[in-house]
Amino acid sequence: MPDATAEQKQFKFKVVLLGEGCVGKSSLVLRFVENKFSSRHLSTIQASFQSKTVHIDDCKAELHIWDTAGQEKYHALGPIYYRGSNGVLLVFDITDRRSFEKVKNWVLEIKTCLGKTAEILIVGNKIDLEDERQVSRQDAEVYAETEGALYMETSAQENMGISDAFEALTSKMIDHARTNTTETSTSNRSIRLIDGEEEGRRSRSKKCCR
Amino acid sequence: MPSRNVHFSLSISILNAVFFGFGRAWLTSTSSPTTAQTSTESELVWRRAKHNAPPPSTTSKSSAPHQWSAVNHELKNRQQKIAKVLPTPQPRGHHNRNMSIVGGVGPAMMSECRRSSDYAQLCDFASEKHGVHLDVHSSEFWLKLLKLDQKLLSIFVEIEDDAVSVAGTVFNEPWDSNVWENLLDLAHHGDESTMGLKVSEPIQEEDSDSDRTAGGDSTCQMDSDDDDEDDVEDEVIRWQTEKMMRRPLPSDRVTVKGWEQDADAGSSKFSTLESRSKNGSIAGSTLRRQPEGSFSIRSLPRALSRFSQSIGMNGMSAAASFGSIDDLPTTLPSMSPLLSGRISRAQLPRSASTDEKIGRAVQEYVEELAEVKEGDNACFGLTLRQFIACTKDTKETDPAVVIRNVRQFINGMKNYLVKHGEGDLHRIIDEESARLNSNQILNIDAVLEAVLHKLLLREVKPLLYHVMIKEHSKAGALQLISQNQGVVRKMNLTELGFTNPESLVTPAPSILEQVKLLMRKMQNHYSPMKKLENLMKAVGLVLGCQNNGNENENPTDPMSCGHRGLPPGDDLVRWFVYILARTSTVGCEVEAWYMWELLPQPVVTQSDASYYLTSLWSAVHVLKSAEAIRRLCENDQRVLMSLDSSRHCCSSPLLSTATLTRGTSAGLVQMISAATCDAFVKIAIPDEAIGCVRYATFPGVPMLTTSKLSRLVAHQQGITNPEEHGL
């Protein structure tokens, strides 16, 4: 594996989607990967793991996307999915305040487990339901900023903002990887629990300080 | 006979069929079908196009990186590929060392129980102590040359489907297990207690051996517990072959007679004349053998498609020469592709697995990975175990949600293993691929599907059943079904409203016993593929005895059997009602649901299996309503023919008149729905080729959407371009 350098053009990233049930995680992935949408659940074609290649400028990034089941019980799967992740999409439903609060829990958990090794993108989904919005865009943006995360809004149903969101995350992950020349992707496979941010920065990346 | 079970990797004829056709069938509304039909019949000529359809390896395309198989790559570069089909020798009573076998099985029992596994699998050869027919082992040989046309395959692959979700509703009351158990008693179905109804109770898998099967095999190989052991391989061959062959030309479109069993290996669809004749002769000599009295799924009618062949005349002559050969029911093969997820791969896995070592290595390695608890290769194992634990732990009571998670997880794990890989998996796959003959394809998707079923579904099946049964007992559906089955059981065929009751044969008690056994096996097995297989066999048995009764009927009278190929939906639903009632399969709804939700998408959307499964659903729906049963039984000719629009009495919520008329207004599909009862939709299908309108009845189920329906119609009628008629 080539060392990550500023010239690196090929990347592989592990991305995990987290969020409460019914916020549209699977729909996001389905829309992004296969450009499909169904108001019913297409369990037959949804998959908890998908991959898709994204081109950013002249770079090619292969995203390995893990989609988690939203039910509370499946949260135990979270650590398996997000360990070694380069990016995390925290999805909430803009019409459901509770799902936004849940995102905050996830941010804490991610930061605890991954330090700063992963880029975080918070996604407010279902903006086609603007009328029922309960979480204002401003609130979410402010929160994201305090956590050093990106914030974007999407609609899987209307196919709004989804590829933008993944591309934005990919860009950040590329920047992250390039600033982190000492790390190879193989290190992603083991779990690291890093308490200090300094530690995390040194070991994995300089990432989000942009 | 050298090989007991020959596994063919033939692809489904539908897929392989030539898609440009003049034989377009439009779905339109018509009011006077009768006369048109009559004239049509006289014009019918029996022709058969032979197709040895090669199974295109969609698998390799979609799920397996090309690099895995240099061979595949090469093949792809050529449009036509020649595939060898290897017969897999299957020892009859082999013992699977890894599986615990139901205890105390004598040799005879063994062979019976294991039959399915015989076909199955990869691993069985390991221990030969039970292998009665060891001679088979040495018999790998090329049976056939198949032509593959990948392009055509890819066409089908593109077709997308909307999933039907049969989901349950949320119920709030606690499950009273007594209710269920009482129902079981009512049903006099002693075995049902083993159905996995009780969560804590381990389910006995009658054919646990089959677990080892590489994906596609299981579908293709029907185990016949019946008497046709010796002929199994032949039948398989024939069956598959025929299915490919059966595409009548549009001009002479005939309903293919579903029941004939001659097999010949047809050449392929796309093939040139010469290849066709060549293949035909070869196939004829090698393959044809018909077991008498043997029954198998293969005897199920399969869909016939009419497509125009560019080489029409040639095809016709070829077909004519083989005219005696008839259609085999191709149902199973068609579903086998399921595993692969792509249509015609059905056979691919099989051919690959014919070499027992090929799929097996992958399967075993995945099972090893599942055991890994730490380290770099632990992701799969950790995820799998955690998922199972989480699923078992869940308090979710909506069965639709639970099962959706399971299906999604299976899809995801397949993706992960294929695209990301773990440990040495990719290396092993590469190695396996390298060992393949140039015309073999490793259907990795099917292999992974099968192994995940084994690793995962076996674990969570009790939970799924528990959740589902809880829900149903809540709504009283189980009791209702049990009661209504009691009512139906007292009815004879005439009372059930069959179209031509006088021509039908009431299945003999011995047949019913076999059917019962199959239905029980269906309920016991955790694998949706195996369930489907057993179901299809059961239906095949019943339909098969009809066949015997009607064998001498004038083949030129297609209407006597409805449209040959797939049986007409109304009678098929009645048969399902009959079977479910006679076998007291109270849990039929759970079974239907389990299969619908867990079968790989291509299986439930693009194969004959979807037709049968829809019919099963329809039958279940009927059994849940005394009123529906009454209407089913009154569904005589008079009612059927009344196309009065006021009779649009579809009770299925989604299959409303509005839904159907939407198609009409769109001008793409014109359907007159004259649902005569809750279970059917009657559709007029104008046939441009012969200038008449035919009517076909299709099963209707709740949640059946127009697109789904049009796909069903297209499938049964052999319309290859349903998207042009669809909404």
Coordinates of all heavy atoms in Angstrom, one line a residue, chain B residues 504-557:
Chain B
L504 N -59.8 -33.2 -13.9 CA -58.8 -33.2 -12.8 C -58.8 -34.5 -12.1 O -59.8 -35.2 -12.0 CB -59.0 -32.1 -11.8 CG -59.0 -30.7 -12.5 CD1 -59.2 -29.6 -11.4 CD2 -57.6 -30.5 -13.1
V505 N -57.7 -34.8 -11.6 CA -57.6 -36.1 -10.8 C -57.3 -35.7 -9.4 O -56.4 -34.9 -9.0 CB -56.4 -36.9 -11.4 CG1 -56.2 -38.1 -10.5 CG2 -56.5 -37.2 -12.8
T506 N -58.1 -36.3 -8.6 CA -57.9 -36.1 -7.1 C -56.7 -36.8 -6.7 O -56.5 -38.0 -7.0 CB -59.1 -36.6 -6.3 OG1 -60.3 -36.0 -6.8 CG2 -58.9 -36.3 -4.8
P507 N -55.7 -36.1 -6.2 CA -54.5 -36.8 -5.8 C -54.7 -38.0 -4.9 O -55.5 -37.9 -4.0 CB -53.7 -35.7 -5.0 CG -54.3 -34.4 -5.6 CD -55.7 -34.7 -5.9
A508 N -54.1 -39.0 -5.2 CA -54.2 -40.2 -4.4 C -53.7 -40.0 -3.0 O -52.8 -39.1 -2.8 CB -53.4 -41.3 -5.1
P509 N -54.1 -40.8 -2.1 CA -53.7 -40.6 -0.7 C -52.2 -40.7 -0.6 O -51.5 -40.0 0.2 CB -54.4 -41.8 0.1 CG -55.6 -42.1 -0.8 CD -55.2 -41.8 -2.2
S510 N -51.6 -41.6 -1.4 CA -50.1 -41.8 -1.3 C -49.4 -40.5 -1.7 O -48.4 -40.1 -1.1 CB -49.7 -42.9 -2.1 OG -50.0 -42.7 -3.5
I511 N -50.0 -39.9 -2.7 CA -49.4 -38.6 -3.2 C -49.6 -37.6 -2.1 O -48.7 -36.8 -1.8 CB -50.2 -38.1 -4.4 CG1 -50.0 -39.1 -5.6 CG2 -49.7 -36.7 -4.8 CD1 -48.7 -39.1 -6.3
L512 N -50.7 -37.6 -1.5 CA -51.0 -36.6 -0.4 C -50.0 -36.8 0.7 O -49.6 -35.8 1.4 CB -52.4 -36.6 0.0 CG -53.4 -35.9 -0.9 CD1 -54.8 -36.0 -0.3 CD2 -53.0 -34.4 -1.0
E513 N -49.7 -38.0 1.0 CA -48.7 -38.3 2.0 C -47.4 -37.7 1.7 O -46.7 -37.1 2.5 CB -48.6 -39.8 2.3 CG -49.7 -40.4 3.2 CD -49.8 -39.6 4.5 OE1 -48.8 -39.4 5.2 OE2 -50.9 -39.1 4.8
Q514 N -47.0 -37.8 0.5 CA -45.8 -37.3 0.0 C -45.8 -35.8 0.1 O -44.8 -35.1 0.5 CB -45.4 -37.7 -1.4 CG -45.1 -39.2 -1.5 CD -44.8 -39.5 -3.0 OE1 -44.2 -38.8 -3.7 NE2 -45.3 -40.7 -3.4
V515 N -46.9 -35.2 -0.3 CA -47.1 -33.8 -0.3 C -47.0 -33.3 1.2 O -46.3 -32.3 1.5 CB -48.4 -33.4 -0.9 CG1 -48.7 -31.9 -0.6 CG2 -48.4 -33.6 -2.4
K516 N -47.6 -34.1 2.0 CA -47.6 -33.7 3.4 C -46.2 -33.7 4.0 O -45.8 -32.8 4.7 CB -48.4 -34.7 4.2 CG -49.0 -34.1 5.5 CD -50.2 -35.1 5.9 CE -50.9 -34.5 7.1 NZ -52.1 -35.3 7.4
L517 N -45.4 -34.7 3.6 CA -44.1 -34.8 4.0 C -43.3 -33.6 3.5 O -42.5 -33.0 4.2 CB -43.4 -36.1 3.5 CG -42.0 -36.3 3.9 CD1 -41.8 -36.5 5.4 CD2 -41.4 -37.5 3.2
L518 N -43.5 -33.3 2.3 CA -42.8 -32.1 1.7 C -43.1 -30.8 2.4 O -42.3 -30.0 2.7 CB -43.1 -32.0 0.2 CG -42.4 -33.1 -0.7 CD1 -43.0 -33.1 -2.1 CD2 -40.9 -32.9 -0.7
M519 N -44.4 -30.7 2.7 CA -44.8 -29.5 3.3 C -44.2 -29.4 4.7 O -43.9 -28.3 5.2 CB -46.3 -29.4 3.4 CG -47.0 -29.3 2.1 SD -46.6 -27.8 1.1 CE -47.6 -26.6 1.8
R520 N -44.1 -30.5 5.3 CA -43.5 -30.5 6.7 C -42.0 -30.2 6.6 O -41.5 -29.5 7.4 CB -43.7 -31.9 7.3 CG -43.7 -31.9 8.8 CD -44.4 -33.1 9.3 NE -43.8 -34.3 8.9 CZ -44.4 -35.4 8.5 NH1 -45.7 -35.4 8.4 NH2 -43.7 -36.5 8.2
K521 N -41.4 -30.7 5.6 CA -40.0 -30.4 5.4 C -39.8 -28.9 5.1 O -38.9 -28.3 5.6 CB -39.4 -31.2 4.3 CG -39.2 -32.7 4.6 CD -38.7 -33.5 3.4 CE -37.2 -33.2 3.1 NZ -36.7 -34.1 2.0
M522 N -40.7 -28.4 4.4 CA -40.7 -27.0 4.1 C -40.7 -26.2 5.4 O -40.0 -25.3 5.6 CB -41.9 -26.6 3.2 CG -42.0 -25.1 2.9 SD -43.5 -24.7 2.1 CE -44.6 -24.7 3.4
Q523 N -41.6 -26.6 6.2 CA -41.8 -25.9 7.5 C -40.6 -26.0 8.4 O -40.3 -25.1 9.2 CB -43.0 -26.3 8.2 CG -44.3 -25.9 7.4 CD -45.5 -26.5 8.0 OE1 -46.0 -25.9 9.0 NE2 -46.0 -27.5 7.4
N524 N -39.9 -27.1 8.3 CA -38.8 -27.4 9.2 C -37.6 -26.7 8.8 O -36.7 -26.5 9.6 CB -38.6 -28.9 9.4 CG -39.7 -29.5 10.2 OD1 -40.4 -28.8 10.9 ND2 -39.8 -30.8 10.1
H525 N -37.4 -26.5 7.6 CA -36.1 -26.0 7.1 C -35.9 -24.5 7.3 O -36.9 -23.7 7.2 CB -35.9 -26.3 5.6 CG -34.5 -26.6 5.3 ND1 -33.5 -25.6 5.3 CD2 -33.8 -27.7 5.1 CE1 -32.3 -26.1 5.0 NE2 -32.5 -27.4 4.9
Y526 N -34.7 -24.2 7.7 CA -34.5 -22.7 7.9 C -34.2 -22.0 6.6 O -34.3 -20.8 6.6 CB -33.3 -22.6 8.9 CG -32.0 -23.0 8.3 CD1 -31.2 -22.2 7.4 CD2 -31.5 -24.3 8.5 CE1 -30.1 -22.7 6.9 CE2 -30.4 -24.8 7.9 CZ -29.6 -24.0 7.1 OH -28.5 -24.4 6.6
S527 N -33.8 -22.7 5.6 CA -33.4 -22.0 4.4 C -34.6 -21.7 3.5 O -35.3 -22.6 3.2 CB -32.4 -22.9 3.6 OG -32.3 -22.5 2.3
P528 N -34.8 -20.5 3.2 CA -35.9 -20.1 2.3 C -35.8 -20.8 0.9 O -36.8 -21.2 0.3 CB -35.8 -18.6 2.1 CG -34.4 -18.2 2.6 CD -34.0 -19.3 3.5
M529 N -34.6 -21.1 0.5 CA -34.4 -21.8 -0.7 C -34.9 -23.2 -0.6 O -35.6 -23.7 -1.5 CB -32.9 -21.8 -1.1 CG -32.3 -20.5 -1.4 SD -33.2 -19.6 -2.7 CE -33.0 -20.7 -4.1
K530 N -34.6 -23.8 0.5 CA -35.1 -25.2 0.7 C -36.6 -25.2 0.9 O -37.3 -26.2 0.5 CB -34.4 -25.8 1.9 CG -33.0 -26.2 1.7 CD -32.9 -27.4 0.7 CE -31.5 -27.8 0.4 NZ -31.4 -28.8 -0.6
K531 N -37.1 -24.3 1.5 CA -38.5 -24.2 1.7 C -39.2 -24.1 0.3 O -40.2 -24.8 0.1 CB -38.9 -22.9 2.5 CG -38.7 -23.1 4.0 CD -39.1 -21.8 4.7 CE -38.8 -21.8 6.2 NZ -39.7 -22.8 6.9
L532 N -38.7 -23.2 -0.4 CA -39.3 -23.0 -1.8 C -39.2 -24.3 -2.6 O -40.1 -24.7 -3.2 CB -38.5 -21.9 -2.5 CG -39.1 -21.5 -3.9 CD1 -40.5 -21.1 -3.8 CD2 -38.2 -20.4 -4.4
E533 N -38.0 -24.9 -2.4 CA -37.8 -26.2 -3.2 C -38.8 -27.2 -2.8 O -39.4 -27.9 -3.6 CB -36.4 -26.6 -2.8 CG -35.9 -27.8 -3.6 CD -34.5 -28.2 -3.2 OE1 -33.7 -27.2 -3.1 OE2 -34.2 -29.3 -2.9
N534 N -39.0 -27.4 -1.5 CA -40.0 -28.4 -1.0 C -41.4 -28.0 -1.4 O -42.2 -28.9 -1.8 CB -39.9 -28.5 0.5 CG -38.7 -29.4 0.9 OD1 -38.5 -30.5 0.4 ND2 -37.9 -28.8 1.8
L535 N -41.7 -26.7 -1.4 CA -43.0 -26.3 -1.8 C -43.3 -26.6 -3.2 O -44.3 -27.1 -3.6 CB -43.2 -24.8 -1.5 CG -44.5 -24.2 -2.0 CD1 -45.6 -24.6 -1.1 CD2 -44.4 -22.6 -2.0
M536 N -42.3 -26.3 -4.0 CA -42.4 -26.5 -5.4 C -42.6 -28.0 -5.7 O -43.3 -28.4 -6.6 CB -41.2 -26.0 -6.2 CG -41.0 -24.5 -6.0 SD -42.3 -23.6 -6.7 CE -41.5 -23.1 -8.2
K537 N -41.9 -28.8 -5.0 CA -42.0 -30.2 -5.2 C -43.4 -30.7 -4.8 O -44.0 -31.5 -5.5 CB -41.0 -31.0 -4.4 CG -39.6 -31.0 -5.0 CD -38.7 -32.0 -4.4 CE -38.2 -31.6 -3.1 NZ -37.1 -32.5 -2.7
A538 N -43.9 -30.1 -3.8 CA -45.3 -30.5 -3.4 C -46.3 -30.2 -4.4 O -47.1 -31.0 -4.8 CB -45.6 -29.9 -2.0
V539 N -46.1 -29.0 -4.9 CA -47.1 -28.6 -6.0 C -46.9 -29.4 -7.2 O -47.8 -29.8 -7.9 CB -46.9 -27.1 -6.3 CG1 -47.8 -26.7 -7.5 CG2 -47.1 -26.2 -5.1
G540 N -45.6 -29.7 -7.5 CA -45.3 -30.5 -8.7 C -45.9 -31.9 -8.6 O -46.4 -32.4 -9.6
L541 N -46.0 -32.4 -7.4 CA -46.6 -33.7 -7.2 C -48.0 -33.7 -7.6 O -48.6 -34.5 -8.3 CB -46.4 -34.2 -5.7 CG -45.2 -35.0 -5.4 CD1 -45.2 -35.3 -3.9 CD2 -45.2 -36.3 -6.2
V542 N -48.7 -32.7 -7.0 CA -50.1 -32.6 -7.3 C -50.4 -32.3 -8.7 O -51.3 -32.9 -9.4 CB -50.7 -31.5 -6.4 CG1 -52.2 -31.3 -6.7 CG2 -50.6 -31.9 -4.9
L543 N -49.7 -31.3 -9.2 CA -49.9 -31.0 -10.7 C -49.5 -32.2 -11.5 O -50.1 -32.4 -12.6 CB -49.2 -29.7 -11.0 CG -49.7 -28.4 -10.3 CD1 -48.8 -27.3 -10.8 CD2 -51.1 -28.2 -10.6
G544 N -48.5 -32.9 -11.1 CA -48.0 -34.0 -11.9 C -49.0 -35.0 -12.1 O -49.1 -35.6 -13.1
C545 N -49.8 -35.3 -11.0 CA -50.8 -36.3 -11.2 C -51.9 -35.9 -12.1 O -52.6 -36.7 -12.8 CB -51.3 -36.9 -9.9 SG -52.2 -35.7 -8.9
Q546 N -52.1 -34.6 -12.2 CA -53.0 -34.1 -13.2 C -52.5 -34.3 -14.5 O -53.2 -34.7 -15.5 CB -53.2 -32.5 -13.0 CG -53.6 -32.1 -11.6 CD -54.8 -32.9 -11.2 OE1 -55.8 -33.0 -11.9 NE2 -54.8 -33.4 -10.0
N547 N -51.3 -34.2 -14.6 CA -50.6 -34.3 -15.9 C -50.9 -35.7 -16.5 O -51.2 -35.9 -17.6 CB -49.1 -34.1 -15.8 CG -48.5 -34.3 -17.1 OD1 -49.1 -34.0 -18.1 ND2 -47.2 -34.7 -17.1
N548 N -50.7 -36.7 -15.6 CA -50.8 -38.0 -16.0 C -52.2 -38.2 -16.5 O -52.5 -38.9 -17.5 CB -50.6 -39.0 -14.9 CG -49.1 -38.9 -14.4 OD1 -48.3 -38.5 -15.2 ND2 -48.8 -39.3 -13.2
G549 N -53.1 -37.6 -15.8 CA -54.5 -37.8 -16.2 C -54.8 -37.2 -17.6 O -55.6 -37.6 -18.4
N550 N -54.1 -36.1 -17.9 CA -54.4 -35.4 -19.1 C -53.5 -35.6 -20.2 O -53.5 -35.0 -21.2 CB -54.4 -33.9 -18.8 CG -55.5 -33.5 -17.8 OD1 -56.5 -34.2 -17.7 ND2 -55.3 -32.4 -17.1
E551 N -52.6 -36.6 -20.0 CA -51.5 -36.7 -20.9 C -52.0 -36.9 -22.3 O -51.4 -36.4 -23.3 CB -50.7 -37.9 -20.5 CG -49.3 -37.6 -20.6 CD -48.5 -38.5 -19.7 OE1 -49.1 -39.6 -19.3 OE2 -47.4 -38.2 -19.4
N552 N -53.1 -37.5 -22.5 CA -53.5 -37.8 -23.9 C -54.3 -36.7 -24.5 O -54.8 -36.8 -25.6 CB -54.3 -39.1 -23.9 CG -53.4 -40.2 -23.5 OD1 -52.2 -40.2 -23.8 ND2 -53.9 -41.2 -22.8
E553 N -54.5 -35.7 -23.7 CA -55.3 -34.6 -24.3 C -54.6 -34.0 -25.5 O -53.4 -34.1 -25.6 CB -55.5 -33.6 -23.2 CG -56.9 -33.4 -22.9 CD -57.0 -32.4 -21.8 OE1 -56.7 -31.2 -22.0 OE2 -57.4 -32.8 -20.7
N554 N -55.5 -33.5 -26.2 CA -55.0 -32.9 -27.4 C -54.0 -31.8 -27.1 O -54.4 -30.8 -26.5 CB -56.2 -32.4 -28.3 CG -55.6 -31.8 -29.5 OD1 -54.4 -31.8 -29.8 ND2 -56.6 -31.4 -30.4
P555 N -52.8 -31.9 -27.6 CA -51.8 -30.9 -27.3 C -52.2 -29.6 -28.0 O -51.6 -28.6 -27.6 CB -50.5 -31.5 -27.9 CG -51.0 -32.6 -28.8 CD -52.3 -33.0 -28.4
T556 N -53.0 -29.7 -29.0 CA -53.3 -28.4 -29.7 C -54.3 -27.7 -29.0 O -54.8 -26.6 -29.4 CB -53.7 -28.7 -31.1 OG1 -54.9 -29.5 -31.0 CG2 -52.7 -29.5 -31.9
D557 N -54.7 -28.2 -27.9 CA -55.8 -27.5 -27.1 C -55.2 -26.9 -25.9 O -55.3 -27.4 -24.8 CB -56.9 -28.4 -26.8 CG -57.9 -27.7 -26.0 OD1 -57.9 -26.5 -26.0 OD2 -58.7 -28.4 -25.3

